[in-house]
Amino acid sequence: MKALFIRTASVALTTIFIASGVQAQERVVHVYNWSDYIDESVLEEFTKETGIKVVYDVFDSNELLETKLLAGGSGYDVVVPTAPFLARQIQAGVFQKLDKSKLPNLKNMWPDVSERLAKYDPGNEYAVNYMWGTTGIGYNVAKVKEALGADFKVDSWDAIFKPENAEKLKGCGINILDASDETFAIAMNYAGKNPDSKETADLEAGGEVYSKIRPSVRTFNSSAYIDDLANGDICLTIGWSGDILQAKARAEEAKNGVEINYVIPKEGTYMWFDNMAIPADAQNVAEAHEFINFLMKPDVIAKASNYVQYANGNLASQSLLDPAVKDNAAVYPPADVMAKLFTISPYGPKEQRVLNRVWTQIKTGS
């Protein structure tokens, strides 16, 4: 009996050790990305190819991501901040430098995009571009015609920033992105100010553009507006290019009679870059590098771009893009439109407080 007990205990312990070993060998990467921003089959393909499990969470504002990063212990291995926030977070020490020896697919990146990104990340040491795009006007063609007249051409920020136009659109619903850094840059540019200004007077001038139309604005959000536009619940939004095109695709798929269009206004607009970076306290650094490198494979990032309908920073992927994406001027703008696109630098703490104060006043209508 004693011998049997010893043998049984030995088998049990061996089983525990084996199970523990399997558990210890399980590889995982925790990713925090924007909502509606990847083809889920890409994640499945990554796991199939590498054996690494992906735990994938989403957010809908840079501020939310930044709060988690600055607090420390976020639990994420790969995050996707927009460029001005990336720059500020690099300065705050929340990211670790990339080990480029583990990223052979860097050779596929688009030099023009990497050069623009270097404004925020000198030497491209901390981040790799995931997607880039513009912030413009998305609208329901029929409802806007009904509200503003059949001959009204939506090609200017006047469509929303002129109070008399906003008033006419109030009934069918206006949404504004809850992304104050870029929405203020757009408003300052419209008001004849430097869109990258951090002067209090210029920020307040941008705020005044929104204050004048605030009574006509229904919502301020950066994720739900995609379905709201696709379903006809709103008729005009300041939105991200790919989001608007996703809304257009969803409406067409639903065959609900909603026709959606996206325009880059003639006054110009903000060009943004969303980028993959590894937090300084990431627990799965090797897996994070494998994930980023996988997404830099031309066929993989092309699949992601085709799904989300955003341009990516991978030059080698362009021959693999759907013509509906590659040849769409709303996704890859022509040179004359590109010349009117602007970028912005990070806000310092003082300027950020001013921006937050004015934006909160606008959203609350106070």
Side-chain angles (χ1 to χ4, degrees), residues 59-124:
F59 58 89
D60 62 6
S61 78
N62 274 296
E63 289 79 7
L64 178 59
L65 170 61
E66 183 167 79
T67 297
K68 290 198 174 189
L69 290 173
L70 294 179
S74 69
Y76 293 108
D77 305 306
V78 177
V79 296
V80 189
T82 305
F85 284 80
L86 168 72
R88 190 163 67 193
Q89 291 153 8
I90 289 173
Q91 294 171 1
V94 300
F95 296 125
Q96 57 183 273
K97 288 185 178 181
L98 299 171
D99 183 347
K100 295 184 180 181
S101 69
K102 296 179 180 178
L103 300 173
N105 287 329
L106 278 172
K107 65 178 184 282
N108 299 319
M109 300 308 289
W110 192 353
D112 288 353
V113 172
S114 297
E115 183 179 341
R116 289 182 183 242
L117 182 57
K119 171 181 178 179
Y120 308 95
D121 175 19
N124 301 113

Side-chain angles (χ1 to χ4, degrees), residues 322-344:
D322 287 345
V325 174
K326 182 182 178 183
D327 299 333
N328 190 334
V331 181
Y332 286 91
D336 61 326
V337 177
M338 287 285 285
K340 294 183 179 181
L341 303 181
F342 53 80
T343 57
I344 58 175

Side-chain angles (χ1 to χ4, degrees), residues 24-292:
Q25 292 171 14
E26 182 182 46
R27 302 181 71 201
V28 64
V29 62
H30 294 262
V31 179
Y32 200 33
N33 198 358
W34 293 85
S35 59
D36 298 294
Y37 214 24
I38 200 165
D39 183 335
E40 291 187 4
S41 67
V42 168
L43 305 179
E44 295 168 2
E45 290 170 10
F46 172 72
T47 298
K48 184 177 180 180
E49 181 173 309
T50 65
I52 300 171
K53 177 184 175 182
V54 181
V55 178
Y56 192 87
D57 295 331
V58 301
F59 58 89
D60 62 6
S61 78
N62 274 296
E63 289 79 7
L64 178 59
L65 170 61
E66 183 167 79
T67 297
K68 290 198 174 189
L69 290 173
L70 294 179
S74 69
Y76 293 108
D77 305 306
V78 177
V79 296
V80 189
T82 305
F85 284 80
L86 168 72
R88 190 163 67 193
Q89 291 153 8
I90 289 173
Q91 294 171 1
V94 300
F95 296 125
Q96 57 183 273
K97 288 185 178 181
L98 299 171
D99 183 347
K100 295 184 180 181
S101 69
K102 296 179 180 178
L103 300 173
N105 287 329
L106 278 172
K107 65 178 184 282
N108 299 319
M109 300 308 289
W110 192 353
D112 288 353
V113 172
S114 297
E115 183 179 341
R116 289 182 183 242
L117 182 57
K119 171 181 178 179
Y120 308 95
D121 175 19
N124 301 113
E125 292 188 306
Y126 290 90
V128 175
N129 181 251
Y130 174 58
M131 299 284 171
W132 62 270
T134 56
T135 303
I137 297 175
Y139 64 100
N140 181 312
V141 175
K143 288 190 175 183
V144 168
K145 278 187 177 180
E146 182 180 352
L148 299 180
D151 296 330
F152 189 94
K153 187 176 182 180
V154 183
D155 64 352
S156 165
W157 287 111
D158 286 347
I160 181 173
F161 287 154
K162 279 195 171 182
E164 58 267 34
N165 290 334
E167 174 66 26
K168 293 176 183 177
L169 294 166
K170 179 179 180 179
C172 58
I174 294 174
N175 175 71
I176 295 175
L177 280 178
D178 191 6
S180 57
D181 57 333
E182 59 192 83
T183 50
F184 266 72
I186 289 167
M188 287 191 290
N189 185 64
Y190 177 77
K193 309 294 184 182
N194 176 3
D196 197 23
S197 175
K198 303 298 185 287
E199 296 294 328
T200 298
D202 292 341
L203 290 171
E204 290 178 342
E208 185 64 19
V209 172
Y210 291 108
S211 295
K212 288 179 179 178
I213 65 168
R214 177 61 184 90
S216 301
V217 177
R218 181 180 296 177
T219 53
F220 293 83
N221 74 65
S222 304
S223 55
Y225 81 100
I226 302 175
D227 282 333
D228 289 345
L229 189 60
N231 297 334
D233 295 330
I234 59 173
C235 63
L236 188 142
T237 184
I238 296 177
W240 293 309
S241 51
D243 281 4
I244 306 303
L245 296 176
Q246 284 183 54
K248 177 182 176 69
R250 290 179 190 181
E252 290 172 350
E253 184 179 346
K255 298 179 180 178
N256 60 6
V258 175
E259 181 186 356
I260 294 166
N261 196 13
Y262 174 78
V263 296
I264 297 173
K266 59 187 179 184
E267 297 90 349
T269 193
Y270 175 59
M271 181 182 186
W272 50 261
F273 304 90
D274 287 339
N275 317 283
M276 298 178 286
I278 303 175
D281 58 358
Q283 297 298 302
N284 304 287
V285 177
E287 289 77 8
H289 281 86
E290 287 192 54
F291 184 78
I292 292 172

